[in-house]
Amino acid sequence: NNFYHNVFAFSAPILLCLYYFFPVCKIEVPERLTVSHEALIKTGLADRCISVPVREATDADILLVHSEEYLEAVKKTPYMTLEDLQEFTLQYGDVYFHPNIYHCAKLAAGAALQLVDSVMTGKVRNGMALVRPPGHHSMRSAASGFCVFNNVAIAAQYAKQQYGVKRVLIVDWDVHHGQGVQYCFEDDPSVLYFSWHRYEHQKFWPQLKESDYNSVGKEKGAGFNINVPWNKVGMKNSDYLSVFCHILLPVAYEFSPDLVLVCAGFDSAIGDPEGEMCASPDIFAHLTHLLMNLAGGKLCAVLEGGYNLTSLPQSVCQTVQTLLGDPAPRPANLDGPCESALESLHCVRSAHRQYWSCLKHMTFIFTASSNNSLLLSPAELPTSDVTTKRIKLAEEEEDKLKKVEEEKNAEEEVWPEPPKRVAPAVRTALVLPNDVACPDGCKHVNTSQVCLLVLLQGCSDVSGFAQAVLGLLLPLGYEYDPSLVLLARTPDSGLCDSVWQQLTGLLQGIAQGHTLVLMQVRRRRRGGSISVYLLLHFWGGLDRWQVF
Ligand SMILES: NCCCNCCCCCC(=O)CS
Ligand SMILES: [Zn+2]
């Protein structure tokens, strides 16, 4: 005991001065991964996943995005003295170098590549890589914002190179702008980068003009970079869902990616010290679900930020449980997007309408009174001077409300535990006419789940689908929040099989997945119909179907 006393007494002053000279990051801490992993184990979700071994990214992997000189410089950090390390760190913004971070950064990037391999080879349908350090801020020759190598950007280039992937969608729901990803692909039409981020008219870190909605990409990449700036804190579930329904999903369907990568940062959840947003952890179940219908379900989520050690594990579990196919919980208190979110939404749509046909036709007005619905009323888009005037108004209002905001945030944020999401062992019932052969792998049981919703007619092409389903049916369905969904299809509905398949997939995000499909099927030689088999296949295989 005496020995330890002396050791501590002697070493304390040294440690203190080290901390003084070499700051330690207070929020990007190891506990982020341990609490997330523990939550996955405690909830039983880890047991339902396979764990993929990590590997170090090779030089060749890293050089897909970063320059030789940057890689060579980072390679030297394990051998640097503390002074050299501090010197090295000072040349970058908001990043912390440690003798072991080069190894960790290679593991983080390597983990993302292992996940891409597992998904692209069909070993798994989708997955999530829980990694540190994050990646989306790091640039070709610079570290930034806790990031050393750009894990997701490397994953996108790797998927194109190794698997001939033609189109990659990167969705960055982290609360910070992944400028590193934007710079990497801004002239590349094969990678569509979508990011929303706290911006506050360029007042929030990293305070870049190019994080605003009018950075749409360059040259051949024009239109393939979508920035949604949040000019206020406190964004909620409705704001996130509105942007998905009215911007991301229509464009994503038109882009039709072969692979979806998610910069899955959870600092956009409630309680996070960086984001100061108010979206509840269960919203990530809906965001994940809505993306899972793209690219044949091939989705790789890679952890970026997320610093509240309560909402981070909850958000990770909501995401993983949805990746496993469990129905999303009923979304909490959808009361329509706020004025500031609507403003951003309209600015983004007007900046991109020239690039995407799904945005051309849908015109919306920025309603003077705060819109209290996920739906947007159609009319002319605001011209830029209207937007500027409104931004000024917003700023004046904001300065007035700033104090209120600070008082509110001063109190510790609290939110309810995400609701339990129980999925019955056998998930889907299939009602078949007596003389139709029951597809093999089904079994006759007589329990039932029934549902209610009217299906729109005739949206067979993408823009029709985008308008009718993504811009109307989905937001309406979320807002209406039915406990039952009924999908009816008659042979003359004009819905092609792939649209029908997407429709049934998307609408499972509503009513906790309680869905009944009524199909008047055309006869085929072998009985049954292509649509039925398609549906069976799409809905996670035959083994979960109950046949009446
Ligand atoms: N220099 C004034 C304070 C700046 N804070 C920067 C925080 C960087 C956060 C990066 C991150 O969360 C990755 S997802
Ligand atoms: Zn972040």
Side-chain angles (χ1 to χ4, degrees):
N1 203 358
N2 190 22
F3 168 74
Y4 283 120
H5 251 333
N6 294 336
V7 165
F8 183 70
F10 173 72
S11 62
I14 295 176
L15 279 178
L16 285 178
C17 87
L18 280 185
Y19 277 173
Y20 177 73
F21 288 111
F22 301 103
V24 173
C25 186
K26 298 179 186 61
I27 56 173
E28 210 292 277
V29 295
E31 289 71 20
R32 296 178 58 228
L33 291 193
T34 48
V35 298
S36 299
H37 186 220
E38 280 157 12
L40 289 167
I41 292 171
K42 194 160 60 67
T43 54
L45 293 171
D47 292 342
R48 295 169 58 190
C49 299
I50 64 159
S51 69
V52 172
V54 292
R55 70 171 171 85
E56 284 195 343
T58 63
D59 287 8
D61 296 330
I62 295 164
L63 293 173
L64 286 170
V65 165
H66 298 284
S67 64
E68 292 247 9
E69 44 285 341
Y70 177 64
L71 175 55
E72 291 315 309
V74 175
K75 266 185 186 174
K76 297 189 180 83
T77 52
Y79 315 103
M80 285 181 184
T81 63
L82 280 176
E83 294 79 17
D84 295 345
L85 258 186
Q86 196 211 14
E87 189 64 33
F88 184 78
T89 299
L90 287 180
Q91 65 184 311
Y92 305 119
D94 300 281
V95 64
Y96 301 77
F97 273 84
H98 174 281
N100 201 29
I101 196 164
Y102 171 53
H103 173 60
C104 296
K106 283 191 288 183
L107 287 178
L113 302 182
Q114 290 286 88
L115 179 55
V116 169
D117 285 340
S118 308
V119 168
M120 293 309 294
T121 57
K123 184 176 169 199
V124 296
R125 185 167 47 155
N126 56 43
M128 179 165 204
L130 288 175
V131 299
R132 286 180 67 229
H136 68 152
H137 296 302
S138 68
M139 293 158 270
R140 179 168 166 70
S141 300
S144 167
F146 311 158
C147 305
V148 176
F149 297 139
N150 201 313
N151 308 320
V152 170
I154 294 171
Q157 296 292 40
Y158 177 82
K160 286 163 62 179
Q161 180 196 70
Q162 297 295 324
Y163 297 97
V165 165
K166 292 280 169 294
R167 288 182 303 281
V168 182
L169 168 65
I170 299 177
V171 178
D172 189 335
W173 67 44
D174 185 286
V175 87
H176 298 94
H177 180 223
Q179 81 277 31
V181 184
Q182 171 168 311
Y183 297 152
C184 183
F185 300 112
E186 60 189 344
D187 62 353
D188 182 346
S190 70
V191 179
L192 171 57
Y193 177 57
F194 167 94
S195 170
W196 60 38
H197 32 270
R198 183 177 172 181
Y199 189 58
E200 293 176 296
H201 302 296
Q202 205 177 332
K203 290 200 201 76
F204 185 71
W205 189 89
Q207 296 173 294
L208 299 171
K209 183 85 197 80
E210 57 269 33
S211 302
D212 210 348
Y213 61 84
N214 49 4
S215 291
V216 296
K218 288 180 179 146
E219 295 138 29
K220 296 189 308 305
F224 294 91
N225 188 82
I226 303 178
N227 285 335
V228 180
W230 299 127
N231 289 315
K232 285 196 163 179
V233 292
M235 292 299 165
K236 298 182 299 188
N237 294 350
S238 299
D239 302 307
Y240 289 6
L241 277 178
S242 289
V243 165
F244 260 54
C245 291
H246 298 296
I247 298 177
L248 175 59
L249 291 174
V251 170
Y253 272 94
E254 193 167 329
F255 180 62
S256 173
D258 309 305
L259 174 65
V260 177
L261 302 180
V262 181
C263 289
F266 297 105
D267 41 18
S268 45
I270 191 167
D272 191 276
E274 279 289 314
E276 295 186 63
M277 298 299 172
C278 293
S280 50
D282 57 297
I283 197 61
F284 295 103
H286 293 281
L287 304 185
T288 305
H289 170 80
L290 292 169
L291 295 176
M292 278 168 71
N293 292 285
L294 295 159
K298 292 193 293 300
L299 187 151
C300 302
V302 182
L303 182 68
E304 295 284 358
Y307 306 102
N308 179 301
L309 299 182
T310 305
S311 62
L312 170 62
Q314 290 174 344
S315 305
V316 166
C317 289
Q318 289 295 317
T319 304
V320 170
Q321 188 167 10
T322 305
L323 290 175
L324 283 163
D326 284 7
R330 281 183 135 153
N333 54 39
L334 293 180
D335 52 4
C338 72
E339 204 138 329
S340 176
L342 270 177
E343 179 125 13
S344 297
L345 198 150
H346 286 306
C347 291
V348 175
R349 292 175 60 85
S350 62
H352 280 273
R353 61 189 309 200
Q354 58 181 298
Y355 303 111
W356 301 97
S357 65
C358 58
L359 302 183
K360 269 192 188 58
H361 314 306
M362 288 150 91
T363 57
F364 296 84
I365 191 164
F366 172 67
T367 45
S369 65
S370 74
N371 192 317
N372 57 4
S373 148
L374 277 173
L375 290 177
L376 304 170
S377 48
E380 270 321 296
L381 280 170
T383 53
S384 58
D385 63 303
V386 168
T387 310
T388 325
K389 196 151 86 336
R390 286 190 178 285
I391 286 177
K392 238 181 260 338
L393 267 177
E395 266 164 352
E396 281 150 26
E397 181 202 327
E398 188 172 309
D399 295 347
K400 267 198 301 302
L401 291 175
K402 199 82 191 158
K403 288 179 292 309
V404 177
E405 204 71 41
E406 266 132 27
E407 276 142 36
K408 185 173 74 80
N409 287 338
E411 304 135 30
E412 189 51 29
E413 289 277 5
V414 286
W415 60 93
E417 273 273 330
K420 287 273 166 294
R421 296 162 58 182
V422 181
V426 185
R427 306 213 177 176
T428 314
L430 175 63
V431 185
L432 281 177
N434 297 336
D435 59 346
V436 170
C438 153
D440 47 5
C442 297
K443 50 181 189 250
H444 281 266
V445 288
N446 52 16
T447 58
S448 71
Q449 299 155 312
V450 285
C451 330
L452 184 62
L453 181 71
V454 178
L455 174 67
L456 295 165
Q457 291 289 337
C459 49
S460 52
D461 63 334
V462 172
S463 64
F465 180 80
Q467 295 208 45
V469 178
L470 303 173
L472 184 67
L473 184 55
L474 213 52
L476 187 93
Y478 268 113
E479 186 115 8
Y480 178 53
D481 188 17
S483 46
L484 312 163
V485 170
L486 164 66
L487 276 172
R489 182 183 189 186
T490 57
D492 60 355
S493 67
L495 283 172
C496 67
D497 282 339
S498 63
V499 167
W500 172 254
Q501 183 186 45
Q502 289 300 334
L503 193 62
T504 48
L506 283 169
L507 290 180
Q508 280 185 74
I510 297 171
Q512 295 165 285
H514 293 125
T515 307
L516 175 75
V517 174
L518 291 182
M519 296 174 85
Q520 195 178 332
V521 295
R522 284 179 292 285
R523 290 240 165 278
R524 277 184 9 149
R525 274 189 310 292
R526 296 192 303 281
S529 117
I530 181 64
S531 317
V532 175
Y533 287 106
L534 197 79
L535 211 63
L536 281 167
H537 169 74
F538 182 71
W539 272 7
L542 304 179
D543 59 328
R544 295 192 180 126
W545 289 77
Q546 308 165 29
V547 181
F548 284 72

